[in-house]
Structures are given as C-alpha cells and as structure tokens.
Amino acid sequence: MTGPLAGKVVAITGASRGIGLAIAAGAAQAGARVALLARDTARLSAAAKEIGDAARAIPADISDPSAVRAAFAAIDQEFGRLDVLVNNAAVAWPHTVADATDEQLHAEVGTNLLAPLYTIRAAIPLLRRSGGGDIINVSTESVTNPFPHLLVYAATKAALETLSAGLIHELSADGIRVTILRAGRTEGGELRLRWDEQARLRAEADWDALGYRARVSGSAGQPPERVADAVVFVASRPQGTMIDVINVRAHS
Ligand SMILES: NC(=O)c1ccc[n+]([C@@H]2O[C@H](COP(=O)([O-])OP(=O)(O)OC[C@H]3O[C@@H](n4cnc5c(N)ncnc54)[C@H](OP(=O)(O)O)[C@@H]3O)[C@@H](O)[C@H]2O)c1
C-alpha cells in the first residue's frame, strides 16, 4: 500500500460505527493496516469487511483490563507491530449527578477514562518496539462548555486531556507522541441515539432554560471523515514534530 501511513499499524477503539469507523477507513485509505476494537462482534466484523483486507476485527470490551490485554496480544500476533493507538470509544447518557445510576457512572468512567488507561498501558510496549508512534485521544468541545446532564461525560474527557498532557513528557524519551483530538458536533455517530427519551427531554429543557443550546447555536455537525483526516494528518507528521491538541469542528 502507498499513502502517508503506509507500513503503519493503527488500532482504533470504538471502530464499529460513527467516528471510529471513519477513522479506521481513513487510516486504511492512507495506507495503514487497521485493528478495529468494539464489543458488538457482528457489527465490528461487518465494519472490517467494509474496509477490506487491511482491516481486522478485534472484539473487546475495553472497560475490562483483561480483555484489553488479550486484545493487544491479538493485535501483536495479527500484525506484529503497532504504530498508532486512537482512543475513540466513549459512552454518554444525559443525567444529573444527583440522578445518576451506579451503572451509568461505572460505564462512563470505565469506558471514557479507565479504558484509555488500559489501552495506553497495553500499547506502550508495542509502540516502543516499533521505535515510537502516536497515541491520539479523542475528546470533545464539551470540556470547555460542560453541559448540565452531561457533566460526567465532560469530566471524563477533561481527565483524559489532563492524562494526555502529562503523558507527552512520560513517553517523549520513547519517541511516542500524544495528541488530544477535540471534536465538535459530528454526524454519523450513535452516542445520542441510545438516550432515554424522557432523560433527553429533561436535559433539553434545562439546556434551554440555562441558555446552553443558544450558546452553541451555529455549530453544525461535521462529517466524521473530517475527524479521520485530522487523525491521518497527526499520525503522518515527521519525527521531531508533534501536535499536542487539535480542534476539529464544522465551520459555519
Ligand atoms: N458524535 C459527536 O457529535 C461527537 C462530538 C465530540 C466528540 N465525540 C467523541 O467521538 C467519539 C466517538 O463518538 P461517536 O459519536 O462516533 O460514538 P458512537 O457512534 O456511539 O460509537 C461509539 C463506539 O464505541 C464503542 N464502544 C462503546 N463502549 C465500548 C466498550 N466498553 N468497549 C469497546 N468499545 C466500546 C461502540 O461499539 P460497541 O457498542 O459495539 O462496543 C462504538 O463502536 C467519542 O469519544 C465521543 O466522545 C463525538
């Protein structure tokens, strides 16, 4: 394969749909071989098939540290190397902190913060063996504008950003770069489709009462391919250059 990522292996979490699938397809188009991680095996296999020979489905619940160890062992066995890790998988539900269920809190912190810690920890030895590489952590504009009812989601992403900023120093001697990729509203994902209708209506009523939706009006959704383009751009920078933070949003 030719392209800016030719010869590289890219692992993407949450690659069965939405932004993660667009990143996997974009990286493959740029010449990389890609490891797709998510839980729904059938959907993940369909996504890998859609991308073609460059893609392998590696089913895993990344909130489970043992499953992450097994997944990265499978990546090593399948590809023999790793050059880029994209932490994209996340979950979010509308709820106030007062009303949050134990399950919601565990899933949000487990998927959005603990899981990237597990994947980064598992990826570091493989990235070191490749002589360095990239860790790209997908965040959200919500970290600077934390919507009520989505505070736990925003807080997990803010923690992921703090982790990324510190990791830059922890991993620089290994030639491993760490980038925060902040996305604006993006089409194609299903993050919001799984929301309980009543919880969504309660959240929207509060957003309107507090003027939150007006504050972000005009921010149209962008196609997920724009986020994929940014990942390819970041991962194809020459050694000696690094991008700490990149904001990708629609311009309206
Ligand atoms: N969409 C937006 O407007 C927007 C804006 C800013 C930032 N973002 C960020 O972009 C990323 C992707 O968003 P999206 O809209 O594309 O979301 P999405 O359509 O809901 O996709 C989420 C992906 O994560 C996977 N996933 C969830 N929990 C997992 C787990 N425990 N283990 C493994 N995989 C898991 C899902 O597959 P399974 O359910 O099969 O596991 C799916 O592939 C997220 O980090 C989100 O915060 C999105």
Side-chain angles (χ1 to χ4, degrees), residues 114-177:
L114 284 174
L117 281 165
Y118 300 147
T119 58
I120 290 166
R121 184 177 62 180
I124 288 170
L126 301 184
L127 295 169
R128 280 184 179 145
R129 227 175 54 208
S130 299
D134 285 282
I135 296 170
I136 301 174
N137 293 325
V138 177
S139 185
T140 166
E141 286 187 328
S142 305
V143 293
T144 55
N145 192 16
F147 272 50
H149 295 258
L150 288 174
L151 293 184
V152 177
Y153 168 65
T156 57
K157 292 292 190 177
L160 180 63
E161 291 202 5
T162 301
L163 176 73
S164 308
L167 266 178
I168 288 173
H169 306 293
E170 228 171 81
L171 296 177
S172 64
D174 295 310
I176 301 172
R177 307 183 287 202

Side-chain angles (χ1 to χ4, degrees), residues 14 16-17 19 39-40 61-62 88 153 157 183 186 190-191:
S16 60
R17 60 176 191 253
I19 295 174
R39 292 167 300 180
D40 181 333
D61 178 349
I62 57 163
N88 163 78
Y153 168 65
K157 292 292 190 177
T186 306
E190 295 181 13
L191 216 57

Side-chain angles (χ1 to χ4, degrees), residues 13-21 23 37-41 43-44 58-64 87-92 107 110-112 115 137-142 153 157 160 181-194 221-222 224 227 248:
T13 69
S16 60
R17 60 176 191 253
I19 295 174
L21 175 54
I23 293 171
L37 282 74
R39 292 167 300 180
D40 181 333
T41 309
R43 201 149 174 201
L44 191 65
I58 314 273
D61 178 349
I62 57 163
S63 66
D64 171 355
N87 282 308
N88 163 78
V91 291
T111 312
N112 306 355
N137 293 325
V138 177
S139 185
T140 166
E141 286 187 328
S142 305
Y153 168 65
K157 292 292 190 177
L160 180 63
L181 193 164
R182 264 191 206 163
R185 197 154 69 78
T186 306
E187 293 152 8
E190 295 181 13
L191 216 57
R192 287 165 184 261
L193 294 187
R194 288 146 199 267
Q222 63 188 343
V227 182
V248 190

